[in-house]
Amino acid sequence: MGDGRLAEGGWPGADRRWWIGVLRAAVCVWLLLSPGRAYAQWSDAASSSLQSYTGIIDMPNARVLPDWRLRLHMSKADPYWYYGLAIGLWNRLEIHGQFTEVTSLVDQSLGPSYGYYKDRSAGLRYVLLPEGDGLPQVAMGVYDVTGSALWSSRYLVASKMWGSLDLTFGLGQGTLAGEFVGGATNAMVGQAPDTGFTFLRSSPVRRTKPFGGLEWHYSRALTFCAEYSSLKPANMFGYRTTAGDKIKDDPSRYPVNLGVKYRLNNLFSAQVFSMGGATVAGGLSMEFPLDPEGMLPWKKLAVAPVGEGDRWQAEHADYEKLAGMIARRIHDEGFRKVAVSCSETGLWIEAENNLHLSPGRALGHIFLTVDPLAPKRITTLYLNLKKDGQVIQSLRASRDTLRAFIDSSQDVGGFRAFSDIDLYGDEHWRQYQQEQGTSALHKAPDDRMSYSLKPKVRTFLNNRAGFFKSKGVLQGRADCRLAEHTKLSGEIETSLFNQWDQLVYSPQERDSVRTDIVEYEKKTQTRVSMLALDHVAALPYDVLGRVSAGYFESAYAGLGGECFRYFHDGRWGLGLESETVRKRDLEDNFALRSDLDTWFTTAFVNLYAQLWPSQGLEGGLKIGRFLAGDPGVSLELRRSFRYFTLGVWYTKTDTSQFTSSENRGSDQKGVYISFPLSIFSDHDVKGHMEYDMTSFTKDTGATVRQPSLLYPLDPWSTPAYLRGSLEEMRGM
């Protein structure tokens, strides 16, 4: 198990190898000549390889997953176990990553309890030339060019579909050229080759080998595949002993792999492969589009009917009473912080969208709620969505225009021509105030308490105690509104299971700001993780401000403040942020640590921009002082599309002040994905769940959690997004 050698087996003897060659040739001829059904959808041809990326078996092809489609994958190919995922973007880009477990090597550097060696790797593929009638699809890709870089590769590949046959030819470098590139674990193999970045920047004329293959799509469910592999197993990490010795080439192993891929249903696919005649490999994949209407189809929302008596009262009510009736009706539908003003011919309506993922659906819901009740004299509606007590998008339209659009008798272009969408609604408010007899804003009473209960799992990877250690907690949260813009937020966590108490991980600094997190998470007793006052208020010039005080997270308590403003219909924004905190006691929920009286202060300028609004591509930049006092920047890029978010971030700071060699020169990076809760529901539900994966825990580039944030976490609450998604108003 630990000597790094392949198991003996295969077909010894020249005669048997000859017969196997004949059999393989016969199978290939049968596959090519047998009648198969044409496979028209080339995008469905983007099936998983043995690894997380789209490919034939071991070799990549030029296919990528369709836009916003996610693949989860697990496979076994001795001596490797692969666990990974891939996502397609814009039908041109595929990003993939995986964990690889090497079952031939026990990682002694982390101790015997850690088990087999494990490595993280990631890559991407970009389509340079989409497939045309007479042209192949051409793509370039890189793989594992950061970190340990044990399997670093880069390649150029072309694929062409001929009926149901997909042919691939490519040129590969690095591991795909039979080289051992290596990286951080070179001590295990006794040499010092390239790191990932030096390989990526190396000369394009380095050693290059061809590879290729074919996939024959007999049907949408069944695919036969064969490839010529450019890999050289004896030069791959895992096919060596810990002393760095290469194994002898297995005489029964050919550079040709054969296999079958079978789509079990719309979600699952299975693969079985013969790897050079020496071993059998297989995998299982799950693919699905990222769509907020997930496992269950959404039910159509029914708005409460209006009785004839209510209509009569509304028709004869004065402005104040009518505003109150409409405010109560919108509140009864489930909206919060409702405020309504009425004039002779207009209605001004404010509400916070706590029901729908989409602002368009929220506006459509409000209109369908108001339209049956409002008197016929009301001809103009001002529909305003609020966030943190401030109007952030305002829609002005005539009642007839709204009704025609909701009923689909008017198209999006016509609706945009006869309506107006404004940021913050200041201009709309001035227009409304000019109407005859406007009443004061009537505010519907709100429930002061709101509750939530959700499970959370926190993982720690690559520790001496084991590769994957988890802690599961049940987190309950309650928000109590003390005043219109002030709330008390409380959060309590109860451990369901806890493997963090097994971790071997010590703080890396005397005044550690984040590497002591294990000391807090080792505790299994119920803990008040948050108890803080949070006040949000509208400041002059449409600036939104926030101040907070209390216990922010398990490790910190103190003060926080922030201000932020959108510009240009929400396409970009600017803000300031700062926190001053101290460490909380490990045992006492409401005490500060007596052995560490250091105050930690952050200060940031926050920049936000929607880089490609129609596709949900946005970016954020934090510039300033991080928690340990290290100055630097944190860049975040994310795509928020169909109410899912996929994001990556990278933080670079000046680490000269740190004493630990682990912190010095350490940059922080990570990825995360956010799912709408509606994928588990039969109706539209507001809210998201998020899973983050970061690099090793360090004290560099650290921040402090707050009860709420103004620095935007999504693009959906902006007029820029609403303009591009008006059709969602009809989704009720």
Side-chain angles (χ1 to χ4, degrees):
M1 176 179 68
D3 64 358
R5 300 178 184 273
L6 282 177
E8 296 294 333
W11 294 85
D15 292 340
R16 293 186 180 182
R17 292 199 301 272
W18 185 85
W19 281 109
I20 288 178
V22 172
L23 179 61
R24 286 173 176 164
V27 170
C28 289
V29 170
W30 177 81
L31 292 178
L32 291 173
L33 297 181
S34 295
R37 286 171 284 181
Y39 197 73
Q41 295 297 324
W42 72 264
S43 60
D44 285 346
S47 59
S48 180
S49 65
L50 260 177
Q51 304 188 49
S52 58
Y53 53 76
T54 296
I56 308 171
I57 301 176
D58 255 341
M59 299 294 102
N61 55 22
R63 307 303 180 195
V64 295
L65 283 168
D67 186 34
W68 224 227
R69 188 172 182 87
L70 182 70
R71 175 195 298 133
L72 305 177
H73 181 74
M74 177 183 71
S75 62
K76 172 71 167 95
D78 191 52
Y80 307 117
W81 274 101
Y82 301 114
Y83 309 91
L85 59 83
I87 187 169
L89 300 173
W90 304 296
N91 297 321
R92 298 294 290 263
L93 178 66
E94 180 177 293
I95 301 174
H96 47 85
Q98 70 185 25
F99 290 99
T100 302
E101 183 178 46
V102 185
T103 60
S104 61
L105 293 174
V106 174
D107 194 342
Q108 300 293 345
S109 64
L110 292 176
S113 61
Y114 180 80
Y116 294 127
Y117 184 88
K118 303 170 183 71
D119 184 75
R120 291 179 293 178
S121 52
L124 58 86
R125 180 181 307 161
Y126 182 74
V127 175
L128 300 172
L129 179 67
E131 184 169 5
D133 291 337
L135 296 174
Q137 180 151 300
V138 180
M140 63 180 298
V142 295
Y143 181 64
D144 197 19
V145 291
T146 63
S148 60
L150 296 176
W151 294 281
S152 292
S153 300
R154 61 189 183 194
Y155 56 89
L156 183 68
V157 62
S159 295
K160 178 62 179 172
M161 186 76 75
W162 296 90
S164 58
L165 190 66
D166 196 10
L167 301 176
T168 291
F169 176 80
L171 297 172
Q173 295 180 337
T175 301
L176 281 175
E179 295 182 300
F180 177 77
V181 180
T185 58
N186 295 330
M188 300 184 71
V189 295
Q191 65 182 78
D194 292 342
T195 64
F197 284 119
T198 56
F199 167 77
L200 188 62
R201 296 193 300 266
S202 65
S203 170
V205 297
R206 68 184 292 157
R207 182 180 180 184
T208 302
K209 287 187 67 175
F211 61 86
L214 59 88
E215 292 182 280
W216 184 53
H217 303 289
Y218 182 78
S219 67
R220 189 175 185 273
L222 182 62
T223 297
F224 299 96
C225 47
E227 70 177 14
Y228 170 77
S229 173
S230 60
L231 301 178
K232 188 174 182 180
N235 277 348
M236 292 177 63
F237 182 80
Y239 285 88
R240 301 165 177 258
T241 67
T242 55
D245 299 326
K246 298 181 182 179
I247 65 167
K248 295 180 180 179
D249 290 336
D250 188 338
S252 66
R253 188 178 181 103
Y254 290 87
V256 175
N257 302 323
L258 300 173
V260 177
K261 301 178 182 180
Y262 186 75
R263 189 187 296 266
L264 302 173
N265 51 39
N266 288 334
L267 282 177
F268 293 98
S269 299
Q271 307 96 28
V272 178
F273 306 117
S274 169
M275 308 301 292
T279 59
V280 174
L284 184 66
S285 300
M286 181 172 69
E287 289 186 19
F288 51 91
L290 297 181
D291 193 306
E293 191 171 358
M295 300 179 181
L296 302 170
W298 285 355
K299 297 177 181 176
K300 193 172 182 64
L301 183 64
V303 177
V306 177
E308 289 299 325
D310 291 334
R311 286 196 182 93
W312 188 91
Q313 289 184 38
E315 189 69 37
H316 296 85
D318 60 25
Y319 299 159
E320 298 287 342
K321 185 175 181 181
L322 178 61
M325 291 180 65
I326 292 175
R328 285 192 297 273
R329 178 167 167 79
I330 296 173
H331 175 267
D332 290 345
E333 283 293 310
F335 290 94
R336 294 178 185 166
K337 298 182 181 179
V338 180
V340 177
S341 174
C342 180
S343 69
E344 178 63 26
T345 60
L347 275 177
W348 178 273
I349 299 171
E350 298 177 4
E352 189 172 280
N353 174 26
N354 59 294
L355 297 177
H356 303 284
L357 283 170
S358 161
R361 286 175 65 89
L363 291 171
H365 190 168
I366 292 172
F367 173 75
L368 292 176
T369 301
V370 171
D371 188 49
L373 181 63
K376 294 181 180 179
R377 71 172 191 274
I378 301 297
T379 59
T380 305
L381 296 179
Y382 299 82
L383 306 181
N384 302 273
L385 295 181
K386 297 192 292 186
K387 185 178 181 181
D388 297 316
Q390 183 185 46
V391 172
I392 53 172
Q393 44 191 321
S394 177
L395 171 65
R396 178 187 181 275
S398 73
R399 190 173 178 180
D400 289 341
T401 296
L402 280 163
R403 188 183 296 119
F405 181 66
I406 296 295
D407 292 342
S408 298
S409 57
Q410 186 179 63
D411 61 16
V412 173
F415 181 73
R416 293 184 65 171
F418 291 99
S419 63
D420 184 52
I421 301 172
D422 186 34
L423 176 65
Y424 295 125
D426 295 341
E427 180 61 30
H428 287 173
W429 178 250
R430 285 190 288 269
Q431 294 174 11
Y432 172 73
Q433 287 291 297
Q434 294 173 5
E435 298 193 10
Q436 182 179 355
T438 57
S439 71
L441 276 173
H442 183 95
K443 298 180 180 180
D446 267 333
D447 296 331
R448 290 187 173 271
M449 297 291 296
S450 61
Y451 308 91
S452 66
L453 185 66
K454 55 186 176 182
K456 283 182 170 287
V457 177
R458 301 187 179 110
T459 58
F460 197 105
L461 303 177
N462 271 6
N463 185 258
R464 293 178 182 274
F467 172 66
F468 189 90
K469 295 296 181 181
S470 300
K471 179 179 181 179
V473 299
L474 188 63
Q475 185 185 86
R477 175 161 177 160
D479 294 303
C480 177
R481 184 169 57 84
L482 304 179
E484 184 175 0
H485 301 295
T486 305
K487 66 180 179 181
L488 178 65
S489 297
E491 193 178 81
I492 190 168
E493 293 184 351
T494 299
S495 295
L496 301 176
F497 60 88
N498 191 3
Q499 295 177 316
W500 283 57
D501 57 3
Q502 305 170 19
L503 295 176
V504 181
Y505 196 82
S506 301
Q508 295 173 0
E509 304 287 335
R510 178 185 176 275
D511 293 343
S512 167
V513 297
R514 194 53 75 190
T515 53
D516 63 346
I517 189 65
V518 174
E519 296 183 3
Y520 288 88
E521 296 294 344
K522 280 182 176 181
K523 308 299 179 180
T524 57
Q525 68 266 32
T526 299
R527 184 171 179 84
V528 176
S529 53
M530 177 184 290
L531 185 63
L533 282 170
D534 196 44
H535 178 75
V536 178
L539 304 177
Y541 305 105
D542 294 319
V543 175
L544 200 60
R546 174 187 64 82
V547 292
S548 55
Y551 304 97
F552 295 146
E553 56 175 87
S554 292
Y556 287 105
L559 304 171
E562 184 184 6
C563 61
F564 185 82
R565 191 194 192 282
Y566 280 116
F567 296 91
H568 196 208
D569 279 350
R571 287 187 173 89
W572 67 281
L574 175 65
L576 301 174
E577 178 188 354
S578 181
E579 293 87 23
T580 299
V581 293
R582 270 190 61 183
K583 284 285 185 180
R584 294 177 61 183
D585 189 80
L586 291 167
E587 304 292 343
D588 191 336
N589 274 295
F590 304 106
L592 301 179
R593 288 182 64 162
S594 58
D595 60 332
L596 184 61
D597 58 0
T598 304
W599 285 90
F600 302 98
T601 301
T602 66
F604 301 110
V605 175
N606 294 326
L607 299 172
Y608 167 80
Q610 293 185 17
L611 305 175
W612 190 359
S614 64
Q615 292 295 315
L617 185 65
E618 50 184 342
L621 186 66
K622 281 177 127 26
I623 307 172
R625 171 192 172 101
F626 289 84
L627 196 57
D630 47 326
V633 298
S634 182
L635 174 65
E636 182 177 346
L637 292 175
R638 55 185 179 248
R639 190 190 188 201
S640 298
F641 194 63
R642 297 179 188 166
Y643 304 100
F644 289 77
T645 297
L646 176 68
V648 297
W649 56 268
Y650 178 80
T651 302
K652 175 74 173 178
T653 66
D654 180 0
T655 61
S656 59
Q657 71 183 68
F658 294 102
T659 60
S660 168
S661 60
E662 297 293 328
N663 283 325
R664 280 183 172 265
S666 174
D667 302 333
Q668 293 295 322
K669 52 186 177 292
V671 299
Y672 63 90
I673 187 167
S674 175
F675 294 85
L677 296 176
S678 63
I679 63 175
F680 306 109
S681 175
D682 64 353
H683 62 282
D684 188 5
V685 177
K686 191 173 177 63
H688 290 76
M689 57 182 289
E690 183 175 304
Y691 186 79
D692 304 71
M693 185 175 295
T694 65
S695 57
F696 291 105
T697 302
K698 305 295 180 188
D699 292 306
T700 59
T703 57
V704 180
R705 186 165 71 112
Q706 293 289 283
S708 65
L709 288 173
L710 305 180
Y711 181 56
L713 299 178
D714 63 70
W716 303 305
S717 301
T718 65
Y721 179 81
L722 179 60
R723 281 194 175 91
S725 59
L726 286 171
E727 286 197 4
E728 294 181 1
M729 292 180 64
R730 298 168 171 165
M732 298 303 299

PDB file of all heavy atoms in Angstrom, residues 73-89:
ATOM      1  N   HIS A  73     -18.154  15.425  -8.980  1.00  0.00           N
ATOM      2  CA  HIS A  73     -17.553  14.214  -9.549  1.00  0.00           C
ATOM      3  C   HIS A  73     -16.712  13.479  -8.516  1.00  0.00           C
ATOM      4  O   HIS A  73     -16.039  14.093  -7.687  1.00  0.00           O
ATOM      5  CB  HIS A  73     -16.670  14.596 -10.744  1.00  0.00           C
ATOM      6  CG  HIS A  73     -16.025  13.428 -11.417  1.00  0.00           C
ATOM      7  ND1 HIS A  73     -16.717  12.557 -12.223  1.00  0.00           N
ATOM      8  CD2 HIS A  73     -14.739  12.979 -11.401  1.00  0.00           C
ATOM      9  CE1 HIS A  73     -15.898  11.632 -12.681  1.00  0.00           C
ATOM     10  NE2 HIS A  73     -14.690  11.856 -12.194  1.00  0.00           N
ATOM     11  N   MET A  74     -16.755  12.158  -8.596  1.00  0.00           N
ATOM     12  CA  MET A  74     -15.918  11.293  -7.770  1.00  0.00           C
ATOM     13  C   MET A  74     -15.491  10.110  -8.630  1.00  0.00           C
ATOM     14  O   MET A  74     -16.304   9.540  -9.370  1.00  0.00           O
ATOM     15  CB  MET A  74     -16.683  10.793  -6.544  1.00  0.00           C
ATOM     16  CG  MET A  74     -15.898   9.819  -5.676  1.00  0.00           C
ATOM     17  SD  MET A  74     -16.877   9.189  -4.290  1.00  0.00           S
ATOM     18  CE  MET A  74     -18.025   8.130  -5.177  1.00  0.00           C
ATOM     19  N   SER A  75     -14.197   9.746  -8.545  1.00  0.00           N
ATOM     20  CA  SER A  75     -13.734   8.614  -9.348  1.00  0.00           C
ATOM     21  C   SER A  75     -12.530   7.958  -8.693  1.00  0.00           C
ATOM     22  O   SER A  75     -11.878   8.532  -7.820  1.00  0.00           O
ATOM     23  CB  SER A  75     -13.379   9.067 -10.768  1.00  0.00           C
ATOM     24  OG  SER A  75     -12.332  10.009 -10.745  1.00  0.00           O
ATOM     25  N   LYS A  76     -12.219   6.744  -9.162  1.00  0.00           N
ATOM     26  CA  LYS A  76     -11.096   5.965  -8.662  1.00  0.00           C
ATOM     27  C   LYS A  76     -10.303   5.459  -9.857  1.00  0.00           C
ATOM     28  O   LYS A  76     -10.844   4.841 -10.767  1.00  0.00           O
ATOM     29  CB  LYS A  76     -11.596   4.771  -7.843  1.00  0.00           C
ATOM     30  CG  LYS A  76     -10.490   3.790  -7.430  1.00  0.00           C
ATOM     31  CD  LYS A  76      -9.587   4.395  -6.366  1.00  0.00           C
ATOM     32  CE  LYS A  76      -8.696   3.343  -5.710  1.00  0.00           C
ATOM     33  NZ  LYS A  76      -7.380   3.234  -6.314  1.00  0.00           N
ATOM     34  N   ALA A  77      -9.000   5.785  -9.881  1.00  0.00           N
ATOM     35  CA  ALA A  77      -8.081   5.282 -10.900  1.00  0.00           C
ATOM     36  C   ALA A  77      -6.762   5.025 -10.201  1.00  0.00           C
ATOM     37  O   ALA A  77      -6.002   5.947  -9.944  1.00  0.00           O
ATOM     38  CB  ALA A  77      -7.916   6.289 -12.034  1.00  0.00           C
ATOM     39  N   ASP A  78      -6.511   3.795  -9.869  1.00  0.00           N
ATOM     40  CA  ASP A  78      -5.360   3.427  -9.050  1.00  0.00           C
ATOM     41  C   ASP A  78      -4.071   4.090  -9.554  1.00  0.00           C
ATOM     42  O   ASP A  78      -3.774   4.045 -10.750  1.00  0.00           O
ATOM     43  CB  ASP A  78      -5.200   1.898  -9.080  1.00  0.00           C
ATOM     44  CG  ASP A  78      -4.196   1.420  -8.051  1.00  0.00           C
ATOM     45  OD1 ASP A  78      -4.346   1.805  -6.884  1.00  0.00           O
ATOM     46  OD2 ASP A  78      -3.269   0.676  -8.441  1.00  0.00           O
ATOM     47  N   PRO A  79      -3.317   4.796  -8.706  1.00  0.00           N
ATOM     48  CA  PRO A  79      -3.438   4.857  -7.252  1.00  0.00           C
ATOM     49  C   PRO A  79      -4.143   6.113  -6.735  1.00  0.00           C
ATOM     50  O   PRO A  79      -3.804   6.620  -5.657  1.00  0.00           O
ATOM     51  CB  PRO A  79      -1.975   4.868  -6.814  1.00  0.00           C
ATOM     52  CG  PRO A  79      -1.293   5.670  -7.881  1.00  0.00           C
ATOM     53  CD  PRO A  79      -2.016   5.366  -9.152  1.00  0.00           C
ATOM     54  N   TYR A  80      -5.115   6.665  -7.482  1.00  0.00           N
ATOM     55  CA  TYR A  80      -5.733   7.939  -7.110  1.00  0.00           C
ATOM     56  C   TYR A  80      -7.233   7.794  -6.851  1.00  0.00           C
ATOM     57  O   TYR A  80      -7.927   7.027  -7.516  1.00  0.00           O
ATOM     58  CB  TYR A  80      -5.543   8.976  -8.230  1.00  0.00           C
ATOM     59  CG  TYR A  80      -4.120   9.162  -8.681  1.00  0.00           C
ATOM     60  CD1 TYR A  80      -3.742   8.858  -9.993  1.00  0.00           C
ATOM     61  CD2 TYR A  80      -3.152   9.644  -7.816  1.00  0.00           C
ATOM     62  CE1 TYR A  80      -2.442   9.022 -10.417  1.00  0.00           C
ATOM     63  CE2 TYR A  80      -1.836   9.818  -8.235  1.00  0.00           C
ATOM     64  CZ  TYR A  80      -1.485   9.503  -9.529  1.00  0.00           C
ATOM     65  OH  TYR A  80      -0.181   9.667  -9.949  1.00  0.00           O
ATOM     66  N   TRP A  81      -7.686   8.579  -5.874  1.00  0.00           N
ATOM     67  CA  TRP A  81      -9.100   8.898  -5.709  1.00  0.00           C
ATOM     68  C   TRP A  81      -9.263  10.375  -6.030  1.00  0.00           C
ATOM     69  O   TRP A  81      -8.517  11.211  -5.528  1.00  0.00           O
ATOM     70  CB  TRP A  81      -9.580   8.645  -4.277  1.00  0.00           C
ATOM     71  CG  TRP A  81     -10.023   7.242  -3.998  1.00  0.00           C
ATOM     72  CD1 TRP A  81      -9.320   6.270  -3.368  1.00  0.00           C
ATOM     73  CD2 TRP A  81     -11.302   6.675  -4.306  1.00  0.00           C
ATOM     74  NE1 TRP A  81     -10.056   5.109  -3.279  1.00  0.00           N
ATOM     75  CE2 TRP A  81     -11.290   5.341  -3.847  1.00  0.00           C
ATOM     76  CE3 TRP A  81     -12.453   7.152  -4.928  1.00  0.00           C
ATOM     77  CZ2 TRP A  81     -12.374   4.495  -3.984  1.00  0.00           C
ATOM     78  CZ3 TRP A  81     -13.539   6.308  -5.076  1.00  0.00           C
ATOM     79  CH2 TRP A  81     -13.502   4.999  -4.605  1.00  0.00           C
ATOM     80  N   TYR A  82     -10.250  10.722  -6.871  1.00  0.00           N
ATOM     81  CA  TYR A  82     -10.510  12.111  -7.238  1.00  0.00           C
ATOM     82  C   TYR A  82     -11.878  12.542  -6.703  1.00  0.00           C
ATOM     83  O   TYR A  82     -12.870  11.829  -6.874  1.00  0.00           O
ATOM     84  CB  TYR A  82     -10.517  12.285  -8.761  1.00  0.00           C
ATOM     85  CG  TYR A  82      -9.239  11.890  -9.457  1.00  0.00           C
ATOM     86  CD1 TYR A  82      -9.207  10.791 -10.326  1.00  0.00           C
ATOM     87  CD2 TYR A  82      -8.070  12.612  -9.281  1.00  0.00           C
ATOM     88  CE1 TYR A  82      -8.047  10.430 -10.990  1.00  0.00           C
ATOM     89  CE2 TYR A  82      -6.901  12.254  -9.941  1.00  0.00           C
ATOM     90  CZ  TYR A  82      -6.891  11.170 -10.786  1.00  0.00           C
ATOM     91  OH  TYR A  82      -5.737  10.819 -11.434  1.00  0.00           O
ATOM     92  N   TYR A  83     -11.931  13.723  -6.087  1.00  0.00           N
ATOM     93  CA  TYR A  83     -13.191  14.320  -5.627  1.00  0.00           C
ATOM     94  C   TYR A  83     -13.188  15.773  -6.113  1.00  0.00           C
ATOM     95  O   TYR A  83     -12.336  16.562  -5.682  1.00  0.00           O
ATOM     96  CB  TYR A  83     -13.305  14.291  -4.111  1.00  0.00           C
ATOM     97  CG  TYR A  83     -13.044  12.937  -3.487  1.00  0.00           C
ATOM     98  CD1 TYR A  83     -11.761  12.572  -3.077  1.00  0.00           C
ATOM     99  CD2 TYR A  83     -14.081  12.028  -3.303  1.00  0.00           C
ATOM    100  CE1 TYR A  83     -11.520  11.337  -2.504  1.00  0.00           C
ATOM    101  CE2 TYR A  83     -13.847  10.785  -2.722  1.00  0.00           C
ATOM    102  CZ  TYR A  83     -12.563  10.449  -2.333  1.00  0.00           C
ATOM    103  OH  TYR A  83     -12.323   9.227  -1.764  1.00  0.00           O
ATOM    104  N   GLY A  84     -14.101  16.132  -7.001  1.00  0.00           N
ATOM    105  CA  GLY A  84     -14.003  17.474  -7.554  1.00  0.00           C
ATOM    106  C   GLY A  84     -15.312  18.013  -8.076  1.00  0.00           C
ATOM    107  O   GLY A  84     -16.373  17.380  -8.008  1.00  0.00           O
ATOM    108  N   LEU A  85     -15.231  19.220  -8.617  1.00  0.00           N
ATOM    109  CA  LEU A  85     -16.378  19.874  -9.233  1.00  0.00           C
ATOM    110  C   LEU A  85     -15.897  20.740 -10.381  1.00  0.00           C
ATOM    111  O   LEU A  85     -14.726  21.111 -10.466  1.00  0.00           O
ATOM    112  CB  LEU A  85     -17.175  20.689  -8.228  1.00  0.00           C
ATOM    113  CG  LEU A  85     -16.498  21.824  -7.461  1.00  0.00           C
ATOM    114  CD1 LEU A  85     -16.449  23.119  -8.263  1.00  0.00           C
ATOM    115  CD2 LEU A  85     -17.231  22.085  -6.158  1.00  0.00           C
ATOM    116  N   ALA A  86     -16.826  21.071 -11.276  1.00  0.00           N
ATOM    117  CA  ALA A  86     -16.555  21.958 -12.402  1.00  0.00           C
ATOM    118  C   ALA A  86     -17.803  22.778 -12.665  1.00  0.00           C
ATOM    119  O   ALA A  86     -18.931  22.332 -12.401  1.00  0.00           O
ATOM    120  CB  ALA A  86     -16.159  21.164 -13.646  1.00  0.00           C
ATOM    121  N   ILE A  87     -17.603  23.984 -13.199  1.00  0.00           N
ATOM    122  CA  ILE A  87     -18.729  24.848 -13.532  1.00  0.00           C
ATOM    123  C   ILE A  87     -18.453  25.516 -14.868  1.00  0.00           C
ATOM    124  O   ILE A  87     -17.316  25.892 -15.178  1.00  0.00           O
ATOM    125  CB  ILE A  87     -18.979  25.896 -12.429  1.00  0.00           C
ATOM    126  CG1 ILE A  87     -20.265  26.675 -12.714  1.00  0.00           C
ATOM    127  CG2 ILE A  87     -17.799  26.839 -12.265  1.00  0.00           C
ATOM    128  CD1 ILE A  87     -20.722  27.532 -11.563  1.00  0.00           C
ATOM    129  N   GLY A  88     -19.490  25.628 -15.693  1.00  0.00           N
ATOM    130  CA  GLY A  88     -19.378  26.290 -16.983  1.00  0.00           C
ATOM    131  C   GLY A  88     -19.841  27.724 -16.903  1.00  0.00           C
ATOM    132  O   GLY A  88     -20.828  28.039 -16.220  1.00  0.00           O
ATOM    133  N   LEU A  89     -19.154  28.620 -17.607  1.00  0.00           N
ATOM    134  CA  LEU A  89     -19.494  30.038 -17.620  1.00  0.00           C
ATOM    135  C   LEU A  89     -19.517  30.538 -19.058  1.00  0.00           C
ATOM    136  O   LEU A  89     -18.532  30.369 -19.799  1.00  0.00           O
ATOM    137  CB  LEU A  89     -18.479  30.851 -16.806  1.00  0.00           C
ATOM    138  CG  LEU A  89     -18.343  30.492 -15.315  1.00  0.00           C
ATOM    139  CD1 LEU A  89     -17.191  31.256 -14.692  1.00  0.00           C
ATOM    140  CD2 LEU A  89     -19.635  30.784 -14.573  1.00  0.00           C
TER     141      LEU A  89
END
